[in-house]
Amino acid sequence: MTHAALPDQAGYRSPLPVREKDPTIPAAPAEPSLGVQGYQQVLEKMHGWVPVDWDSVFDGLDTIFGDEVSHHAVGALRPRQFGGTASGHEDPAELAQRFRAAITQLVHRGRRDEVERKHPDVIGLIERARALQSERLPADPRQALGFLRRLGEVTLELADRLEKAGSVTGLVETTRLIE
């Protein structure tokens, strides 16, 4: 190790250690973990990313659940009745896409915060959410409504559990049912 002299506040030079290159230690240039193409793909995905519009997600939940659940509420649902329509007010494919985007964001948030370590019950919910995301929207209107209700229910449960775990805040306003 050699020393370089730097002036201190009084103007005197004090030695500062400088590390010389050691030829016995191999020094390879840093390699990007994803490579150039990998980083280009990440950038392309980031440019196409659109944040989740939670108001439209909750409006979609109101559409499919009707008066079973209050607006922005999470909790147990009343016994199921054939209520809200999947086709009357909104496009079922659009509703499914909104719920899928919300689930994706919630799952990523939960994984990022490692919620499953502190709350193992969330693992099953995340797996159920991912399985539902991969299913196709049925063509039959009644089956489509059932599918949308399952997507909506898992979205509500995931938002509720992640809020209780402290991973997300501000999504759930109340946990009571409309009486």
Side-chain angles (χ1 to χ4, degrees), residues 48-169:
W49 179 77
V50 177
V52 173
D53 180 2
W54 287 100
D55 286 334
S56 70
V57 170
F58 286 117
D59 288 346
L61 291 169
D62 287 345
T63 299
I64 62 166
F65 289 121
D67 64 352
E68 291 181 42
V69 191
S70 66
H71 185 66
H72 298 259
V74 177
L77 299 175
R78 290 184 184 168
R80 300 211 179 209
Q81 301 169 1
F82 188 70
T85 64
S87 59
H89 301 288
E90 302 199 39
D91 178 31
E94 169 64 26
L95 284 173
Q97 184 56 35
R98 275 191 241 163
F99 296 153
R100 285 181 175 125
I103 289 170
T104 298
Q105 187 176 48
L106 290 169
V107 166
H108 287 310
R109 182 77 58 90
R111 295 276 169 130
R112 182 200 70 193
D113 295 343
E114 298 178 343
V115 172
E116 65 272 3
R117 284 188 185 186
K118 300 173 201 163
H119 306 276
D121 59 320
V122 175
I123 294 171
L125 185 57
I126 287 175
E127 288 172 359
R128 195 172 97 204
R130 286 199 160 168
L132 272 173
Q133 277 184 302
S134 64
E135 289 184 30
R136 294 175 50 122
L137 181 69
D140 178 64
R142 287 184 71 89
Q143 289 179 348
L145 179 61
F147 175 71
L148 289 172
R149 290 172 69 93
R150 287 192 307 275
L151 269 178
E153 190 172 355
V154 79
T155 302
L156 285 172
E157 285 182 38
L158 199 52
D160 184 44
R161 294 247 182 103
L162 292 179
E163 182 139 344
K164 286 178 182 174
S167 186
V168 296
T169 57

Side-chain angles (χ1 to χ4, degrees), residues 12-34:
Y12 299 106
R13 295 195 175 263
S14 61
L16 180 68
V18 176
R19 184 179 204 140
E20 292 182 10
K21 184 176 179 182
D22 185 353
T24 62
I25 300 175
E31 294 286 329
S33 59
L34 295 177

Side-chain angles (χ1 to χ4, degrees), residues 2-14:
T2 63
H3 296 285
L6 293 177
D8 62 8
Q9 289 180 349
Y12 299 106
R13 295 195 175 263
S14 61

